[in-house]
Amino acid sequence: MTPLLTPTMTGLATPDPLKFAFGAKTSAHASRGGLCPLTLDHADWQAWWRRESEADERALYIHIPFCRKRCSFCNFFENGANPARITRYVNALCGALAKAAETPFTQSRPFSAVYVGGGTPTDMSADELAMLAAAICRFPLTSDAEVTLEGRLNGFDDAKWHSALAGGFNRFSFGVQSFDTEVRQAAARFDDRETLLTRLGELTCHDDAVIVADLIFGLPGQDDAVWRQDIADVMASGVHGVDLYQLIAMAGTHLARAEAKGKLGWAADGQQRATMYAYGAQTLEQEGWQRLSCSHWRRGEAEQSRYNQMAKRGAEILPFGAGAGGNVHGHGLMYGRDLALWHEALAADLRAPGMVMGRNPNGRLDDLLRGALDSGWLALARLPTSLRAHLQPLFEAWQQHGLATLSEDRLELTLAGRFWNVNLQAGLFEYLQLNPLAGSGTAPADPAQAVRHSLV
């Protein structure tokens, strides 16, 4: 039977797929969907922590839901960075971490990555960073574990830097977004270009830890000339890695409200953002930076971006904190953002409010495919023969539309395909939903064997 193919799966046939293969990128992630929440009572939850993990790889995600300022493009703002509120939260969080660290589930297998995200974790004090670092050290970490602290350069003084280093943090991810002072001011960011470059130079001059900077392309006022300077600045800043993220219009942001009122001002359209991505990717690679994923590059082997790659390919990630999300025993888990309810649950020794999802029967396969497309290529030999043949029409359509190149043993995304990789992921999952593999759904007969250690 000829499979059903739609433009949302294959992209459009166009002379310029970088700009026109799809209408727009509307999400930062893609998934098959269709899973239902799982009812999990207190006894079942406690039983999970007595059960040993069966995961091949594990990480911790720790959420710090506080910011001093809401950026114009962000719809994740949760709580103002009141020092007393942060102190209370960190104390409770460290207590929860200490308790969880002693369970059979936690101790059964080591963790090779830890990510402290937010929010703005660098708004914690130096003493709070030390306390959190000590709590993390209670967990069984691998000898080379990547321990990342996310945040902003503003307010991250030498006392915090040295406290974090002494506690074991070895990777720092700073949200720069743009170096241009006017663009930053319009986005409600702290600090000007010179301050950012000076501070990055101070933090990178001794190679005490890996430093990563995030850039966003498509911000209001960020034209091609500004973006070219952003790329030049980040390469000259001394950082070890850089992420290039496209601005995605999200409901509830200050940008969305300004656009609705006609007060947004000039901003790059989708085609201009595609060109900006291409310029950034090509310039970095021409200067010797290695691409680790469709959005991340490194200038040396010190930067591994381990947590991000593990998250894409479905590693077990234990979440901690209000608003944290992860994956426990194969079940997606997301805690609610309400701080009061989170504190009440911890005080009563109960699971914090949130949602637990049922297991995805195709989870191993979905993680393989999502992780491969995020990296920019897929080794076809890692797919079961029947599934490889089943996906062949879709892969051939991507090649015909300039989004991928297909060889006997490898599917590799083109520059255009890497720009549209989330759309391709969504299209692939749509294809599998509408064209189930005859006989066994879409999952391989032995998914654990078929996709174990499937990404390079």
Side-chain angles (χ1 to χ4, degrees), residues 266-350:
W266 183 90
D269 60 19
Q271 290 73 47
Q272 290 167 309
R273 292 198 295 272
T275 301
M276 296 167 89
Y277 172 82
Y279 176 82
Q282 291 169 338
T283 301
L284 287 165
E285 290 165 28
Q286 288 167 2
E287 293 299 319
W289 290 60
Q290 180 188 7
R291 177 172 52 83
L292 292 184
S293 74
C294 294
S295 61
H296 188 80
W297 288 260
R298 67 178 183 180
R299 66 173 172 88
E301 293 186 2
E303 161 62 342
Q304 299 291 315
S305 191
R306 185 180 295 168
Y307 174 87
N308 291 327
Q309 294 184 57
M310 290 171 65
K312 294 291 186 180
R313 62 182 181 241
E316 183 167 72
I317 298 176
L318 277 60
F320 293 93
N327 180 345
V328 176
H329 289 307
H331 293 269
L333 173 62
M334 177 65 70
Y335 291 120
R337 295 183 177 187
D338 190 303
L339 273 183
L341 294 178
W342 181 83
H343 278 291
E344 287 176 12
L346 262 62
D349 195 26
L350 298 173

Coordinates of all heavy atoms in Angstrom, one line a residue, residues 266-350:
W266 N 10.3 46.7 13.9 CA 10.9 45.8 12.9 C 11.4 44.5 13.5 O 12.1 44.6 14.5 CB 12.0 46.5 12.1 CG 12.5 45.6 11.0 CD1 12.1 45.6 9.7 CD2 13.6 44.6 11.1 NE1 12.8 44.6 9.0 CE2 13.7 44.0 9.8 CE3 14.4 44.2 12.1 CZ2 14.6 43.0 9.6 CZ3 15.3 43.2 11.9 CH2 15.4 42.6 10.6
A267 N 11.1 43.4 12.9 CA 11.7 42.1 13.3 C 11.8 41.3 12.0 O 11.0 41.4 11.1 CB 10.8 41.5 14.3
A268 N 12.8 40.4 12.0 CA 13.0 39.5 10.9 C 11.8 38.6 10.7 O 11.3 38.0 11.6 CB 14.3 38.8 11.1
D269 N 11.5 38.4 9.4 CA 10.4 37.4 9.1 C 11.0 36.0 9.0 O 12.2 35.8 9.2 CB 9.6 37.8 7.9 CG 10.5 37.8 6.6 OD1 11.6 37.2 6.6 OD2 10.1 38.4 5.6
G270 N 10.2 35.0 8.7 CA 10.7 33.6 8.7 C 11.8 33.4 7.7 O 12.8 32.7 8.0
Q271 N 11.7 34.0 6.6 CA 12.7 33.8 5.5 C 14.1 34.5 6.0 O 15.1 33.9 5.7 CB 12.3 34.4 4.2 CG 11.1 33.6 3.5 CD 9.8 33.8 4.2 OE1 9.4 34.9 4.5 NE2 9.1 32.7 4.5
Q272 N 14.0 35.6 6.6 CA 15.2 36.3 7.1 C 15.8 35.5 8.2 O 17.1 35.4 8.3 CB 14.9 37.7 7.5 CG 14.5 38.7 6.4 CD 13.9 40.0 6.8 OE1 13.0 40.0 7.6 NE2 14.5 41.1 6.4
R273 N 15.0 34.9 9.1 CA 15.6 34.1 10.1 C 16.3 32.9 9.6 O 17.3 32.4 10.1 CB 14.4 33.7 11.1 CG 13.9 34.9 11.9 CD 13.2 34.4 13.2 NE 12.0 33.7 12.8 CZ 10.8 34.2 12.6 NH1 10.6 35.5 12.7 NH2 9.7 33.4 12.4
A274 N 15.7 32.3 8.5 CA 16.4 31.2 7.9 C 17.8 31.6 7.4 O 18.8 30.8 7.5 CB 15.5 30.6 6.7
T275 N 17.8 32.7 6.8 CA 19.1 33.2 6.3 C 20.1 33.5 7.4 O 21.3 33.2 7.3 CB 18.9 34.5 5.5 OG1 18.1 34.3 4.4 CG2 20.2 35.1 4.9
M276 N 19.6 34.0 8.5 CA 20.4 34.2 9.7 C 21.0 32.9 10.3 O 22.2 32.8 10.6 CB 19.6 35.0 10.8 CG 19.2 36.4 10.3 SD 17.9 37.1 11.4 CE 19.0 37.9 12.6
Y277 N 20.1 31.9 10.3 CA 20.6 30.6 10.8 C 21.7 30.1 9.9 O 22.8 29.6 10.4 CB 19.5 29.6 10.8 CG 19.9 28.2 11.1 CD1 20.1 27.7 12.4 CD2 20.1 27.3 10.1 CE1 20.5 26.5 12.7 CE2 20.6 26.0 10.3 CZ 20.8 25.6 11.6 OH 21.2 24.3 11.9
A278 N 21.5 30.2 8.6 CA 22.5 29.7 7.6 C 23.8 30.4 7.8 O 24.9 29.8 7.8 CB 22.0 29.9 6.2
Y279 N 23.8 31.8 8.0 CA 25.0 32.5 8.2 C 25.7 32.1 9.4 O 26.9 31.9 9.4 CB 24.7 34.0 8.2 CG 25.9 34.8 8.5 CD1 26.8 35.2 7.5 CD2 26.3 35.2 9.8 CE1 28.0 35.9 7.8 CE2 27.4 35.9 10.1 CZ 28.3 36.2 9.1 OH 29.4 36.9 9.3
G280 N 25.0 32.0 10.5 CA 25.6 31.6 11.8 C 26.2 30.2 11.7 O 27.4 30.0 12.1
A281 N 25.5 29.2 11.1 CA 26.0 27.8 11.0 C 27.2 27.8 10.1 O 28.3 27.2 10.5 CB 24.9 26.9 10.5
Q282 N 27.2 28.4 9.0 CA 28.2 28.3 8.0 C 29.5 29.0 8.5 O 30.6 28.6 8.3 CB 27.8 28.9 6.7 CG 26.7 28.0 6.0 CD 26.1 28.6 4.8 OE1 26.1 29.8 4.7 NE2 25.5 27.8 3.9
T283 N 29.3 30.2 9.2 CA 30.4 31.0 9.7 C 31.1 30.2 10.8 O 32.4 30.1 10.8 CB 30.0 32.3 10.2 OG1 29.3 33.0 9.1 CG2 31.2 33.2 10.6
L284 N 30.4 29.7 11.7 CA 31.0 28.9 12.8 C 31.8 27.7 12.2 O 33.0 27.5 12.6 CB 30.0 28.4 13.7 CG 29.3 29.4 14.7 CD1 28.0 28.9 15.3 CD2 30.3 29.9 15.7
E285 N 31.2 27.0 11.3 CA 31.9 25.8 10.8 C 33.1 26.2 9.9 O 34.1 25.5 9.9 CB 30.9 24.9 10.0 CG 29.9 24.3 11.0 CD 28.7 23.7 10.3 OE1 28.8 23.3 9.1 OE2 27.6 23.6 11.0
Q286 N 33.0 27.3 9.2 CA 34.2 27.7 8.4 C 35.3 28.1 9.3 O 36.5 28.0 8.9 CB 33.8 28.9 7.5 CG 32.9 28.5 6.4 CD 32.2 29.7 5.7 OE1 32.5 30.9 6.1 NE2 31.4 29.5 4.7
E287 N 35.0 28.6 10.5 CA 36.1 28.9 11.5 C 36.5 27.8 12.4 O 37.2 28.0 13.4 CB 35.5 30.1 12.4 CG 35.3 31.4 11.6 CD 36.6 31.9 10.9 OE1 37.7 31.9 11.6 OE2 36.6 32.4 9.8
G288 N 36.1 26.6 12.0 CA 36.6 25.4 12.7 C 35.7 24.9 13.9 O 36.1 24.0 14.6
W289 N 34.6 25.5 14.1 CA 33.7 25.1 15.2 C 33.0 23.8 14.7 O 32.5 23.7 13.6 CB 32.7 26.1 15.6 CG 33.3 27.3 16.3 CD1 34.2 28.2 15.8 CD2 32.9 27.8 17.6 NE1 34.5 29.1 16.7 CE2 33.7 29.0 17.8 CE3 32.0 27.4 18.6 CZ2 33.7 29.7 19.0 CZ3 32.0 28.1 19.7 CH2 32.8 29.3 19.9
Q290 N 32.8 22.8 15.6 CA 32.2 21.6 15.3 C 30.7 21.6 15.7 O 30.4 22.0 16.8 CB 32.9 20.4 16.0 CG 32.3 19.0 15.8 CD 32.9 17.9 16.6 OE1 33.6 18.2 17.5 NE2 32.5 16.7 16.4
R291 N 29.9 21.2 14.8 CA 28.4 21.1 15.1 C 28.1 19.8 15.8 O 28.4 18.7 15.4 CB 27.7 21.1 13.8 CG 26.1 21.0 14.0 CD 25.4 21.2 12.7 NE 25.9 20.4 11.6 CZ 25.5 19.2 11.4 NH1 24.7 18.6 12.2 NH2 26.0 18.5 10.4
L292 N 27.5 19.9 17.0 CA 27.1 18.8 17.8 C 25.6 18.5 17.6 O 25.2 17.4 17.9 CB 27.4 19.0 19.3 CG 28.9 19.1 19.7 CD1 29.0 19.2 21.2 CD2 29.6 17.8 19.3
S293 N 24.9 19.5 17.2 CA 23.4 19.3 17.0 C 23.0 20.3 15.9 O 23.9 21.1 15.5 CB 22.6 19.4 18.2 OG 22.5 20.7 18.6
C294 N 21.8 20.3 15.6 CA 21.3 21.3 14.6 C 21.4 22.8 15.2 O 21.3 23.7 14.4 CB 19.9 21.0 14.2 SG 19.7 19.5 13.3
S295 N 21.5 22.9 16.5 CA 21.5 24.2 17.1 C 22.7 24.5 18.0 O 22.8 25.6 18.5 CB 20.3 24.5 17.9 OG 20.2 23.5 19.0
H296 N 23.7 23.6 18.1 CA 24.8 23.7 19.0 C 26.1 23.4 18.4 O 26.3 22.4 17.6 CB 24.6 22.8 20.2 CG 25.6 23.1 21.3 ND1 25.5 24.1 22.2 CD2 26.8 22.4 21.6 CE1 26.5 24.1 23.0 NE2 27.3 23.1 22.7
W297 N 27.1 24.3 18.6 CA 28.5 24.2 18.1 C 29.5 24.3 19.2 O 29.2 25.0 20.2 CB 28.8 25.3 17.0 CG 28.0 25.1 15.8 CD1 28.5 24.5 14.6 CD2 26.6 25.4 15.5 NE1 27.5 24.5 13.6 CE2 26.4 25.0 14.1 CE3 25.6 25.9 16.2 CZ2 25.1 25.2 13.5 CZ3 24.4 26.1 15.6 CH2 24.1 25.8 14.3
R298 N 30.7 23.7 19.0 CA 31.7 23.8 20.0 C 33.0 24.1 19.3 O 33.2 23.8 18.2 CB 31.9 22.5 20.8 CG 32.4 21.3 20.0 CD 32.5 20.1 20.9 NE 33.1 19.0 20.2 CZ 33.3 17.8 20.7 NH1 33.0 17.6 22.0 NH2 33.8 16.8 20.0
R299 N 33.9 24.8 20.0 CA 35.2 25.1 19.5 C 36.3 24.2 19.9 O 37.4 24.2 19.4 CB 35.6 26.5 19.8 CG 35.9 26.9 21.2 CD 36.5 28.3 21.4 NE 36.6 28.7 22.8 CZ 37.7 28.4 23.5 NH1 38.7 27.7 23.1 NH2 37.7 28.9 24.8
G300 N 36.0 23.3 20.8 CA 37.0 22.3 21.3 C 36.3 21.1 22.0 O 35.1 21.2 22.3
E301 N 37.0 20.1 22.3 CA 36.4 18.9 22.8 C 36.0 19.0 24.3 O 35.3 18.1 24.8 CB 37.4 17.7 22.7 CG 37.6 17.3 21.2 CD 38.5 16.1 21.1 OE1 38.8 15.5 22.1 OE2 38.7 15.7 19.9
A302 N 36.4 20.1 25.0 CA 36.0 20.2 26.4 C 34.5 20.3 26.5 O 33.9 19.9 27.5 CB 36.6 21.5 27.0
E303 N 33.8 20.9 25.5 CA 32.4 21.1 25.5 C 31.8 19.8 25.0 O 32.0 19.4 23.8 CB 32.0 22.3 24.7 CG 30.5 22.3 24.3 CD 29.5 22.3 25.4 OE1 29.8 22.0 26.5 OE2 28.3 22.7 25.1
Q304 N 30.9 19.2 25.8 CA 30.2 17.9 25.4 C 28.7 18.1 25.1 O 28.1 17.3 24.4 CB 30.4 16.9 26.5 CG 31.9 16.5 26.7 CD 32.5 15.7 25.5 OE1 31.9 14.8 25.0 NE2 33.7 16.1 25.1
S305 N 28.1 19.1 25.8 CA 26.7 19.3 25.7 C 26.0 18.0 26.0 O 25.0 17.6 25.4 CB 26.3 19.8 24.3 OG 24.9 20.3 24.3
R306 N 26.4 17.3 27.0 CA 26.0 16.0 27.3 C 24.5 16.0 27.7 O 23.7 15.1 27.3 CB 26.8 15.4 28.4 CG 26.5 13.9 28.7 CD 27.4 13.4 29.8 NE 28.8 13.3 29.3 CZ 29.8 13.1 30.1 NH1 29.6 12.9 31.4 NH2 31.1 13.1 29.7
Y307 N 24.1 16.9 28.7 CA 22.7 16.8 29.2 C 21.8 17.0 28.0 O 20.8 16.3 27.9 CB 22.5 17.9 30.2 CG 21.1 18.0 30.7 CD1 20.6 17.1 31.7 CD2 20.2 18.9 30.1 CE1 19.3 17.2 32.0 CE2 18.9 18.9 30.4 CZ 18.4 18.1 31.4 OH 17.1 18.1 31.8
N308 N 22.0 18.0 27.2 CA 21.1 18.3 26.1 C 20.9 17.1 25.2 O 19.8 16.8 24.7 CB 21.6 19.6 25.3 CG 21.4 20.8 26.1 OD1 20.5 21.0 27.0 ND2 22.4 21.8 26.0
Q309 N 22.0 16.5 24.8 CA 21.9 15.3 24.0 C 21.2 14.2 24.6 O 20.4 13.5 24.0 CB 23.3 14.9 23.5 CG 24.0 15.9 22.6 CD 25.4 15.5 22.1 OE1 25.5 14.4 21.5 NE2 26.4 16.2 22.4
M310 N 21.5 14.0 25.9 CA 20.8 12.9 26.6 C 19.3 13.2 26.7 O 18.4 12.2 26.5 CB 21.3 12.8 28.1 CG 22.7 12.2 28.1 SD 23.5 12.4 29.8 CE 22.4 11.3 30.7
A311 N 18.9 14.4 26.9 CA 17.5 14.7 27.0 C 16.8 14.5 25.7 O 15.6 14.0 25.6 CB 17.3 16.2 27.4
K312 N 17.4 14.8 24.6 CA 16.8 14.5 23.2 C 16.7 13.0 23.0 O 15.7 12.6 22.3 CB 17.7 15.1 22.2 CG 17.8 16.7 22.2 CD 16.5 17.3 21.8 CE 16.6 18.8 21.7 NZ 15.4 19.5 21.4
R313 N 17.6 12.2 23.4 CA 17.5 10.8 23.1 C 16.8 10.0 24.2 O 16.9 8.7 24.2 CB 18.8 10.3 22.7 CG 19.9 10.3 23.8 CD 21.2 9.8 23.3 NE 22.3 9.8 24.2 CZ 23.4 10.4 24.1 NH1 23.6 11.2 23.1 NH2 24.3 10.4 25.1
G314 N 16.2 10.6 25.1 CA 15.3 9.9 26.1 C 16.0 9.3 27.3 O 15.5 8.3 27.8
A315 N 17.1 9.9 27.7 CA 17.7 9.4 29.0 C 16.7 9.5 30.1 O 15.8 10.4 30.1 CB 19.0 10.1 29.2
E316 N 17.0 8.7 31.2 CA 16.2 8.9 32.4 C 16.7 10.2 33.1 O 17.9 10.3 33.4 CB 16.3 7.7 33.3 CG 15.5 7.8 34.6 CD 15.4 6.5 35.3 OE1 16.5 6.1 35.9 OE2 14.4 5.8 35.3
I317 N 15.8 11.1 33.3 CA 16.1 12.4 33.9 C 15.3 12.6 35.2 O 14.0 12.8 35.0 CB 16.0 13.5 32.9 CG1 17.0 13.4 31.8 CG2 16.3 14.9 33.6 CD1 16.8 14.4 30.7
L318 N 15.9 12.6 36.3 CA 15.1 12.8 37.6 C 14.9 14.3 37.8 O 15.9 15.0 37.9 CB 15.9 12.2 38.8 CG 15.7 10.7 39.0 CD1 16.2 9.9 37.8 CD2 16.4 10.3 40.3
P319 N 13.7 14.8 37.9 CA 13.4 16.2 38.0 C 13.2 16.6 39.5 O 12.6 15.8 40.3 CB 12.2 16.4 37.2 CG 11.4 15.1 37.4 CD 12.4 14.0 37.5
F320 N 13.7 17.7 39.9 CA 13.5 18.2 41.2 C 13.2 19.7 41.2 O 13.8 20.5 40.5 CB 14.8 18.0 42.1 CG 15.1 16.6 42.4 CD1 15.9 15.9 41.5 CD2 14.5 15.9 43.4 CE1 16.2 14.5 41.7 CE2 14.8 14.6 43.7 CZ 15.6 13.9 42.8
G321 N 12.2 20.1 42.0 CA 11.8 21.5 42.1 C 10.5 21.8 41.4 O 10.0 21.1 40.5
A322 N 9.9 22.9 41.8 CA 8.6 23.3 41.3 C 8.8 23.7 39.8 O 9.7 24.5 39.5 CB 8.1 24.5 42.0
G323 N 8.0 23.1 38.9 CA 8.1 23.4 37.5 C 9.1 22.5 36.8 O 9.3 22.6 35.6
A324 N 9.8 21.6 37.5 CA 10.8 20.7 36.8 C 10.1 19.6 36.1 O 9.0 19.1 36.4 CB 11.7 20.1 37.9
G325 N 10.7 19.1 35.0 CA 10.2 18.0 34.2 C 11.3 17.0 33.9 O 12.5 17.4 33.9
G326 N 10.9 15.8 33.8 CA 11.9 14.7 33.5 C 11.2 13.4 33.1 O 10.1 13.4 32.6
N327 N 11.9 12.3 33.3 CA 11.5 11.0 32.9 C 11.9 10.0 33.9 O 13.1 9.8 34.1 CB 12.2 10.8 31.5 CG 11.8 9.4 30.9 OD1 11.3 8.5 31.6 ND2 12.1 9.2 29.6
V328 N 11.0 9.4 34.6 CA 11.3 8.4 35.6 C 10.7 7.1 35.3 O 9.5 7.0 35.1 CB 10.7 9.0 37.0 CG1 11.0 8.0 38.1 CG2 11.4 10.3 37.3
H329 N 11.5 6.0 35.3 CA 11.0 4.7 35.0 C 10.3 4.7 33.7 O 9.3 3.9 33.5 CB 10.2 4.1 36.1 CG 10.9 3.8 37.4 ND1 12.0 2.9 37.4 CD2 10.7 4.1 38.7 CE1 12.4 2.8 38.6 NE2 11.6 3.5 39.4
G330 N 10.7 5.5 32.7 CA 10.0 5.5 31.4 C 8.7 6.3 31.4 O 8.1 6.4 30.3
H331 N 8.4 7.0 32.5 CA 7.2 7.9 32.5 C 7.6 9.3 32.5 O 8.4 9.8 33.3 CB 6.4 7.6 33.8 CG 5.8 6.2 33.8 ND1 4.6 5.9 33.4 CD2 6.3 5.0 34.3 CE1 4.3 4.6 33.5 NE2 5.4 4.0 34.1
G332 N 7.0 10.1 31.6 CA 7.2 11.5 31.7 C 6.6 12.1 33.0 O 5.6 11.7 33.4
L333 N 7.3 13.1 33.5 CA 6.9 13.7 34.8 C 7.1 15.2 34.8 O 8.2 15.7 34.4 CB 7.7 13.1 36.0 CG 7.5 13.7 37.4 CD1 6.1 13.5 37.8 CD2 8.5 13.0 38.3
M334 N 6.1 15.9 35.1 CA 6.2 17.4 35.1 C 5.5 17.9 36.4 O 4.4 17.7 36.6 CB 5.5 18.0 33.9 CG 5.5 19.6 33.9 SD 7.2 20.3 33.8 CE 7.6 19.9 32.1
Y335 N 6.3 18.6 37.3 CA 5.8 19.2 38.5 C 5.1 20.5 38.2 O 5.6 21.3 37.3 CB 6.9 19.4 39.5 CG 7.5 18.1 40.1 CD1 8.8 17.8 39.9 CD2 6.7 17.2 40.8 CE1 9.3 16.6 40.5 CE2 7.2 16.0 41.3 CZ 8.5 15.7 41.1 OH 9.0 14.6 41.6
G336 N 4.1 20.8 38.9 CA 3.4 22.1 38.8 C 4.3 23.2 39.2 O 5.2 23.1 40.0
R337 N 3.9 24.4 38.8 CA 4.7 25.6 39.1 C 4.4 26.3 40.4 O 5.1 27.2 40.8 CB 4.6 26.6 37.9 CG 5.1 26.1 36.6 CD 5.0 27.2 35.5 NE 5.6 26.8 34.2 CZ 5.7 27.7 33.2 NH1 5.3 28.9 33.3 NH2 6.3 27.2 32.1
D338 N 3.3 26.0 41.0 CA 2.8 26.7 42.1 C 3.7 26.5 43.3 O 3.8 25.4 43.9 CB 1.4 26.3 42.5 CG 0.7 27.2 43.5 OD1 1.3 27.3 44.6 OD2 -0.3 27.8 43.3
L339 N 4.5 27.5 43.7 CA 5.4 27.4 44.8 C 4.8 27.0 46.2 O 5.3 26.1 46.9 CB 6.2 28.7 45.0 CG 7.5 28.9 44.2 CD1 8.1 30.2 44.6 CD2 8.4 27.8 44.3
A340 N 3.6 27.6 46.5 CA 3.0 27.3 47.7 C 2.6 25.8 47.8 O 2.8 25.1 48.8 CB 1.8 28.2 47.9
L341 N 2.0 25.3 46.7 CA 1.6 23.9 46.7 C 2.9 23.0 46.8 O 2.8 21.9 47.4 CB 0.8 23.6 45.5 CG -0.6 24.3 45.4 CD1 -1.3 23.9 44.1 CD2 -1.4 23.9 46.6
W342 N 3.9 23.4 46.1 CA 5.2 22.6 46.2 C 5.7 22.5 47.6 O 6.1 21.4 48.1 CB 6.2 23.2 45.2 CG 7.5 22.5 45.1 CD1 7.8 21.4 44.4 CD2 8.7 22.8 45.8 NE1 9.1 21.0 44.5 CE2 9.7 21.8 45.4 CE3 9.0 23.8 46.7 CZ2 11.0 21.9 45.9 CZ3 10.3 23.8 47.2 CH2 11.3 22.9 46.8
H343 N 5.8 23.6 48.3 CA 6.3 23.7 49.6 C 5.4 22.8 50.6 O 5.9 22.1 51.4 CB 6.3 25.1 50.2 CG 7.6 25.8 49.7 ND1 8.8 25.5 50.2 CD2 7.8 26.9 48.9 CE1 9.7 26.3 49.7 NE2 9.1 27.2 48.9
E344 N 4.0 22.9 50.4 CA 3.1 22.2 51.2 C 3.3 20.7 51.1 O 3.3 19.9 52.0 CB 1.7 22.5 50.9 CG 1.2 23.9 51.3 CD -0.2 24.3 50.8 OE1 -0.9 23.3 50.3 OE2 -0.5 25.4 50.9
A345 N 3.5 20.2 49.8 CA 3.7 18.8 49.6 C 5.0 18.3 50.2 O 5.0 17.2 50.8 CB 3.7 18.5 48.1
L346 N 6.1 19.1 50.1 CA 7.3 18.6 50.7 C 7.2 18.6 52.2 O 7.8 17.6 52.8 CB 8.5 19.6 50.2 CG 9.3 19.1 49.1 CD1 8.5 18.9 47.8 CD2 10.5 20.0 48.8
A347 N 6.6 19.5 52.8 CA 6.4 19.5 54.2 C 5.6 18.3 54.7 O 5.8 17.9 55.8 CB 5.7 20.8 54.7
A348 N 4.7 17.9 53.9 CA 3.9 16.7 54.3 C 4.4 15.4 53.8 O 3.8 14.4 53.9 CB 2.5 16.9 53.7
D349 N 5.6 15.4 53.2 CA 6.3 14.3 52.7 C 5.5 13.6 51.6 O 5.4 12.4 51.5 CB 6.6 13.3 53.8 CG 7.6 12.2 53.4 OD1 8.4 12.5 52.5 OD2 7.6 11.1 54.0
L350 N 4.9 14.4 50.7 CA 4.1 13.9 49.6 C 4.8 14.3 48.3 O 5.6 15.2 48.2 CB 2.7 14.5 49.6 CG 1.9 14.1 50.9 CD1 0.6 14.9 50.8 CD2 1.6 12.6 50.9

